[in-house]
Structure formats: C-alpha cells, structure tokens
Amino acid sequence: MKIITLFFLLSSSLLYAQKQVDICIYGGTSGGVMAAVAAKRLGKSVLLIEPGQHLGGMTSGGLGLTDIGNKYAITGLSLHFYRRLGQHYGPFEQWIFEPHVAEDLYKTYVKEDKVDVVYGYRIQSAKKNKTTLEEITLETASGGQTQRIRAKMFMDCSYEGDLMAKAGVSYRVGREANADYKETYNGVQLLDGHQFPDGIDPYKEPGKPESGLLWGISPEKLAARGEGDRKVQAYNYRICLTKNPNNRVAITKPDDYDPSRYELVLRLMQKKPWRTLNDGFIWSNMPNEKTDINNRNGFSTDMIGMNYEYPEASYEKRAEIIRQHENYTKGLLYFIGNDPRVSASIREQMQQWGYPKDEYTDNNHWSPQLYIREARRMVGDYVMTQANCEGKETVTDGVGLAAYTMDSHNCQRIVIEKDGKQMVKNEGNVEVGGFAPYPISYRSLIPKASECTNLLVPVCMSATHIAYGSIRMEPVFMVLGQSAAVAASMAIDRKTSVQAIDGRNIQKLLLKDPLLNGSAADVVVDDAQSSDVQITGDWTQEKAGSYAHSLLSTQSKAPAAVRFTPTLPATQAYQVYVYVPRRKDASSQTVFRVYDGSQTQTVHLNKEQVIVEGQTSGAWIPLGTFKLPAGKKAYVEITNEKADGAVVADAVQFVQAK
C-alpha cells in the first residue's frame, strides 16, 4: 500500500511539473488576473503564474486612487471590477478603495472562475521551436524547485516583461529620441512639473563643489532636449497609512536609516516652507481613514535615478533595488515625523499616521509591490506613439481605449547652471493631456511574426516611452488583458497564430458579450450620438470633464432640454443612470423626465446628491429603476427647469435590473 501511494505521489508531482494547458499567463497583475478569468470563461484551460504571493499588482498594492483619464475607456471585466468594489462600499462604481479589499476581490474572481494559480515561481527559461514558444521552465525564489509548463498560447502580464525577453522578443528600455518616431515629448525633457525651485544648492557644503554632491544627485551633464537614453522613469511606493489609533502601527526608523539622504528636502522646505503634508506628498484619502500617498514636487517618494538597472537585472539585483526603495521611503516618512530640523507642525502632522494593521498582514503592513511604472516595452508589430495619443494617427484594430495624459515621472536629478549659479533640478517629468480617448492597436499586443507566433504581451506592450505613459494605467491593463485572452482563445480555436487574428473581431465579441458570460451589455447613449439625442434650446458643447468625447451644458434662462433615446433589447426593468461631472458652477438642482412608453416620471437631483464618495472625477448617478419597453420607445430628458447654475447633459446609461 505504501509503495502504491508513493508511486501515485511521484506520478502526480511529475505530471504537475510538466503541466500542459491551453493558455499560460505569467504575472498575477490586474491585467493577468482578468486575462485568466476571460480565458476560463471562453472555455480554455488556464494556468496563472504569480512570482510573488499576491494578486492584483499595483491595484492591490496601494494604488487605490485609480488613474483613469476618462471612464468611457474602462469596459468589460475591468469595469465589472470597479462595480463590484461599489457593491462593497455602496456606490454604483467605486474607484477609490483599500488595498486588501481589491486583493480579496481578485481572489474572488479566480475562485469563482476556478482559475488555477501558482504562487512563488518565476521564469527561468523559455523553449522555442522556430517561432513557436513551446514551454517555459519556472523556479522558486530559492532556486530549489523547478516546473515546466507547456501551453498552446502564452501571455506575459508581468510589469517587467520577463517572459517576453526569455522568448527572444524585441524590446526597448528607456526613452526613444524624439526623432525616432517624430514625437516632441519623448527623450530628455527639463520641464516644470515636480521640480525644484531655482536656487537650491546641490553641494554638501553650499557653494563648495569640492565638498561633493548631496545624496541622490547625479554628476551627469544634461543632454539635449529630445535626445534618447536608457534612463527609466522613477519608481516609488503608493503608501497606505492610517490615522485610526486602533488600527495604527508606528512608523519606526528603518535599519539602514541615513538622514543625509533627505538633506534636499530640508533645503526645499527652507525655500518653500511646508504648511501641510500635501506640500511634499500627494496625500489622498482612502476609505476607513487610510491613504494612497504619491510623489509630489521636487523631492518626495520617487527614488529618482535609482532604478536604471531594474528592468534587465537579475532577480537578486532586483530584490536589492526593491529593498533600497522600501528603506528610502520608510526613512523619508520617519525623517519627516522625527527629524528636529523639520518644523514642529509638520512633524506633528506626520506623527498622527502609521502603518495599517489590517493591510499587508504578511509583509509587516508594507506593500509587497513596488510601483514599476515602466520596464521593458516590446517592439512589436505596431508601436503606439504620441501621434496615437493626440489623435493624429488612429488605428482601426483597437482592442481597448487609453485616456490618460502622456505621463512620465522624472528620470534623473542633476546640476544645471542658471544665471551663473549651480542648482539642482529634476529631469524627465512630462504631463501633457487634453486629448480624447483613443484606441490601442491589437498589433501592439503581439510580437513580430518572425519572433513569436503564440505570445501576447498586454502589459509591457509595444509603445514608445511617452505613449506608454498614457496607456500604462491599471484599468487599461485589465481591458488589454481581457482582449489578449480573447485573441489567444480565437487563435487556439482556429489553429492559427496570434498575428492572424483580426483585432476587429475581438471588438465585435466584446461589444456583444463584455463579461464573456452571456450577460447583456449595458446601453449607453452619449451626447455625441446625434441620431439618439434631440437638443432643444441653447446648449454649448464642451470637452473638459466629460464622459467619452464631449458634454453639453447650458446656463440659459430660456427653456432648454436634451432627450436621450436608447435602443433597448428587451422589455423589462432597467436601472437608469446619468453621468454627472463635478462642477463648481453646477445648478443646485436638475430636473429629469423619464418616459416609459406610456407616461412620464419626473426626478429631481440636488447638487449634494451627485457628489459621490469613492469617485475620482464625475460619476454615474442613479435616477431610479423603471420598466421600459424594447426598441426606441423610452427616453430620458435633461432640462434646465428651475436651474440656478450650469446644467449638464452628458450621457445616460440603462442597466438591466437583476
């Protein structure tokens, strides 16, 4: 009996070590989780490999103040994720949330869809037969155990692009020169964002270059604007703290604490005194008295210039870089709260905060996920560029939308001369927006056919540095992960390469079945849909703050109305929502009329009702649940009756009531 049992265990171990699946997904980031869920819903066998011990990447790693740009860009399983967060917190959708709530939800997804997840294994090697990736070998962090995974299709959903690199796919690290793709915001950029004011001395002894540079300042000379290099925008931690004394762990001095690292922040305070912690950090409030803290101004949580090796470094070197970032950040928090050279009022403010007991409970209440804003970027079949962001070039095979500004954090901290004086400056920060949501090409998710025919890369996708800065948002990664899973499934079903899949067919499937489970798609009528929108009176079209591409507003005293007429798939109850951007000039109330095919109901919304907690911009506000007929027989009308300020008509959404 013992011999039979031993044989069974050895056989099971061997089978697992040589596991075969339809789709193997490397990286349990937000995009990786949604890719795995999508593939399972399409009937494929899936293995999700997470080198760490947590799912969700930055979404569960502290980035609770979701970077969106425009909610119109968030669709499918990605949008479903934020609606399920809404079920937890209360609103229809929730875009501001605690780390553990996000991770618990990702775990719920993989449990519900029966996704097999392997934790604690990282890629060691990849085996190809010509252009077909046949198998990958994984190893534990200690290197003591290995597993071989064979699959028909592979997906790299890691932030680093390690599977892509092992598969021999071309990639880029750093910044292209502007001339490479006819861009203007790539390469070296010495601009004003998150910058030191003029006149801050860079030397240990002010005015004495012979004393050496302060910590964190590079001796490198500033290159010409737009010149390319291999420098990588700064990483940091999105810090979750709490001021609840019952849930607070004190911020203590890290083991390698060195106050000289923070000399520049003292000089910055001398030049521009801090009144609150928001003068040195983007200090955003989360539910339950917590934070999502991000970098602000010249010296903050970004560890500028200390990550250049990370994208291509060994696992051991990466662990060292991560540890340096953690100690730097914890040291900064301790410094601000305890160094006597910091003003007493700022120290007192910092001392109200601590690490939350109920977050990251297996990692001393500190996020296990460093914010890898950018590492490798594939050079694929199509490269997204600044022209795509600005709408000067539009692809027809889009499998997701991006809507955020072209955003790069600083890449280096250097000394420049201005008006005969030496001073410290940051270089590399770019924040340029003002453009509409734009499509992301399917071809930017796949390698060149000559390199690999069964691999998709929705996270380290093919884009220039500055275009990637617009695309690289967590909700967008989830959208692209889902689209990549659809493409992989189509390629398996058709026994063809990922290059043979038409991105337009992915679009069609996801428009019809956005959750890939047969549930009905929501019906949205936007102000730009002229055939479904009837305008009466004086309205002005605006772009700022809108859902999708525009909105209509009026402050006219004469009667004005906008009627939104949906095409509904069935006669049934619908939850009806209107999209309301936050505006200081908004009317104290807005009057809506909902026509159900036979009678009209009037709904009044006060200004206070549309300020929804948990939102980062505008929000969908419920008008109520109504039984509406199929076809184009119902409508919602937004009027300026009794208005004493601006009335906005942007978009109306109809969700089938459950």
Side-chain angles (χ1 to χ4, degrees), residues 401-620:
L401 296 172
Y404 204 71
T405 59
M406 292 182 288
D407 177 82
S408 172
H409 282 234
N410 280 301
C411 299
Q412 61 179 330
R413 181 172 287 144
I414 54 174
V415 179
I416 69 163
E417 183 172 325
K418 184 176 180 180
D419 299 328
K421 295 181 180 180
Q422 301 288 311
M423 61 189 70
V424 61
K425 290 289 180 181
N426 295 330
E427 182 278 314
N429 188 88
V430 179
E431 296 171 85
V432 178
F435 41 79
Y438 60 92
I440 302 165
S441 172
Y442 169 64
R443 289 164 291 156
S444 69
L445 308 188
I446 57 177
K448 297 172 183 176
S450 60
E451 295 182 344
C452 195
T453 53
N454 65 330
L455 173 68
L456 295 109
V457 186
V459 175
C460 293
M461 42 84 68
S462 181
T464 64
H465 158 72
I466 199 61
Y468 190 78
S470 170
I471 297 167
R472 62 166 182 85
M473 302 302 146
E474 291 287 296
V476 176
F477 284 153
M478 288 192 267
V479 171
L480 297 181
Q482 180 178 3
S483 295
V486 171
S489 299
M490 287 180 171
I492 291 172
D493 293 342
R494 300 173 188 181
K495 298 180 180 179
T496 190
S497 69
V498 296
Q499 287 80 14
I501 300 302
D502 189 333
R504 290 170 293 188
N505 291 330
I506 300 171
Q507 294 175 21
K508 291 176 184 177
L509 174 61
L510 291 176
L511 283 171
K512 181 180 178 181
D513 189 5
L515 302 184
L516 301 175
N517 62 0
S519 58
D522 300 334
V523 177
V524 178
V525 184
D526 184 68
D527 70 282
Q529 296 170 247
S530 57
S531 62
D532 298 324
V533 178
Q534 181 180 343
I535 302 171
T536 304
D538 185 18
W539 294 82
T540 301
Q541 188 177 66
E542 301 176 9
K543 293 183 178 181
S546 71
Y547 177 82
H549 299 83
S550 63
L551 58 80
L552 299 170
S553 72
T554 186
Q555 296 196 43
S556 173
K557 299 301 181 183
V562 178
R563 180 177 294 182
F564 295 81
T565 304
T567 302
L568 299 176
T571 299
Q572 69 164 76
Y574 290 87
Q575 295 169 321
V576 179
Y577 298 85
V578 292
Y579 193 82
V580 182
R582 290 189 175 185
R583 293 176 64 121
K584 293 181 179 179
D585 64 349
S587 174
S588 61
Q589 69 169 328
T590 304
V591 177
F592 301 84
R593 290 196 180 90
V594 181
Y595 179 66
D596 65 6
S598 60
Q599 61 181 355
T600 302
Q601 298 183 54
T602 301
V603 180
H604 296 78
L605 283 184
N606 296 325
K607 186 175 183 178
E608 292 75 18
Q609 291 176 269
V610 303
I611 301 175
V612 178
E613 295 299 326
Q615 308 302 316
T616 56
S617 53
W620 289 107

Side-chain angles (χ1 to χ4, degrees), residues 66-309:
T66 309
D67 293 318
I68 308 165
N70 192 313
K71 291 175 182 174
Y72 175 71
I74 315 307
T75 57
L77 288 169
S78 180
L79 181 58
H80 189 253
F81 174 81
Y82 295 101
R83 289 188 179 174
R84 290 188 73 168
L85 286 174
Q87 292 172 14
H88 177 87
Y89 287 105
F92 176 49
E93 297 169 359
Q94 181 80 11
W95 303 85
I96 299 176
F97 48 86
E98 300 158 90
H100 79 273
V101 175
E103 184 171 9
D104 287 347
L105 182 50
Y106 284 121
K107 290 178 180 177
T108 299
Y109 274 105
V110 299
K111 182 179 179 180
E112 288 175 346
D113 286 275
K114 297 181 174 59
V115 174
D116 289 334
V117 184
V118 172
Y119 295 91
Y121 278 81
R122 62 198 187 191
I123 188 165
Q124 182 188 79
S125 61
K127 179 182 176 182
K128 284 170 66 178
N129 180 4
K130 296 181 181 178
T131 61
T132 301
L133 180 56
E134 292 185 329
E135 71 175 33
I136 61 174
T137 300
L138 307 173
E139 65 178 13
T140 58
S142 63
Q145 293 181 323
T146 60
Q147 293 186 33
R148 285 188 294 145
I149 311 297
R150 298 179 67 85
K152 297 174 184 177
M153 292 284 155
F154 290 85
M155 292 177 59
D156 189 340
C157 290
S158 69
Y159 291 127
E160 294 84 2
D162 288 340
L163 170 55
M164 170 184 73
K166 295 289 186 184
V169 171
S170 298
Y171 63 86
R172 174 71 191 249
V173 174
R175 303 181 284 187
E176 295 87 357
N178 271 329
D180 291 350
Y181 291 93
K182 299 180 180 179
E183 297 176 305
T184 57
Y185 288 108
N186 211 332
V188 172
Q189 300 286 334
L190 184 63
L191 303 176
D192 296 331
H194 299 288
Q195 187 60 275
F196 287 95
D198 288 351
I200 294 184
D201 194 287
Y203 301 112
K204 292 178 180 177
E205 294 185 40
K208 295 185 177 181
E210 63 274 15
S211 66
L213 293 168
L214 290 173
W215 183 91
I217 301 176
S218 168
E220 192 167 330
K221 300 297 183 184
L222 178 66
R225 181 169 182 173
E227 185 174 310
D229 56 29
R230 288 181 59 83
K231 293 180 173 64
V232 180
Q233 64 172 305
Y235 300 163
N236 74 341
Y237 281 94
R238 297 293 287 256
I239 309 166
C240 185
L241 300 180
T242 182
K243 62 181 179 182
N244 182 342
N246 297 319
N247 192 34
R248 186 175 62 200
V249 177
I251 296 171
T252 56
K253 185 189 303 183
D255 291 339
D256 70 343
Y257 178 69
D258 181 357
S260 69
R261 293 176 182 166
Y262 312 107
E263 180 66 30
L264 272 174
V265 79
L266 289 176
R267 296 189 185 182
L268 188 56
M269 288 173 170
Q270 291 167 1
K271 189 80 172 179
K272 297 181 69 175
W274 290 13
R275 293 171 295 175
T276 72
L277 293 171
N278 268 296
D279 289 321
F281 307 90
I282 299 177
W283 200 282
S284 302
N285 292 325
M286 296 290 108
N288 295 317
E289 300 182 280
K290 294 176 185 174
T291 65
D292 171 0
I293 300 170
N294 198 10
N295 182 81
R296 170 167 276 160
N297 294 334
F299 192 102
S300 187
T301 61
D302 279 359
M303 200 176 180
I304 299 171
M306 306 297 181
N307 61 339
Y308 299 160
E309 294 180 75

